[in-house]
Amino acid sequence: MNAQQRLFLKETMDLAWGLYRAELRGPDPRTFAQSLAGAWRWMKGAAARKAAAPAWARGTHARTMSLGSMVQSPIRRSLSGAAYAGRRSWEAGRTTTRIGA
């Protein structure tokens, strides 16, 4: 058995155990055999699902993304849209960055 087959079987078993554990506490718990069969069907159909996916979902097209600051304080949000608040907004952003809030 090569490494690719081992990885496939490991991922299948991990998925089966996850399904089994998730359904243990449900109103109609599934058996491990049902979980394993579902995991096997899911893993076997992965290639067909990937081929049917659009290009943006497969990650095969070129894309560029520009993200702004992930941290936004209430002060910066309140000043960012205000007229003539450029300097005040910049100072509030600098203060927020220095404080770390």
Side-chain angles (χ1 to χ4, degrees):
M1 183 178 332
N2 64 22
Q4 187 177 9
Q5 290 170 331
R6 282 182 188 255
L7 181 63
F8 176 80
L9 292 176
K10 181 188 181 314
E11 289 175 352
T12 305
M13 285 301 281
D14 287 345
L15 181 59
W17 275 111
L19 290 171
Y20 179 67
R21 280 190 238 117
E23 291 289 326
L24 269 178
R25 290 176 237 105
D28 187 23
R30 65 170 69 174
T31 64
F32 183 72
Q34 292 170 329
S35 300
L36 185 59
W40 188 259
R41 280 192 306 271
W42 177 261
M43 295 297 288
K44 286 296 223 178
R49 283 192 308 277
K50 186 174 181 179
W56 61 267
R58 288 192 308 265
T60 56
H61 76 294
R63 58 183 169 260
T64 305
M65 185 181 299
S66 176
L67 298 175
S69 173
M70 300 304 268
V71 178
Q72 288 284 327
S73 74
I75 299 168
R76 283 182 59 197
R77 280 198 306 267
S78 68
L79 293 174
S80 63
Y84 306 109
R87 177 73 183 172
R88 289 177 45 215
S89 178
W90 178 83
E91 289 172 352
R94 183 179 167 96
T95 303
T96 303
T97 304
R98 294 179 95 193
I99 294 173

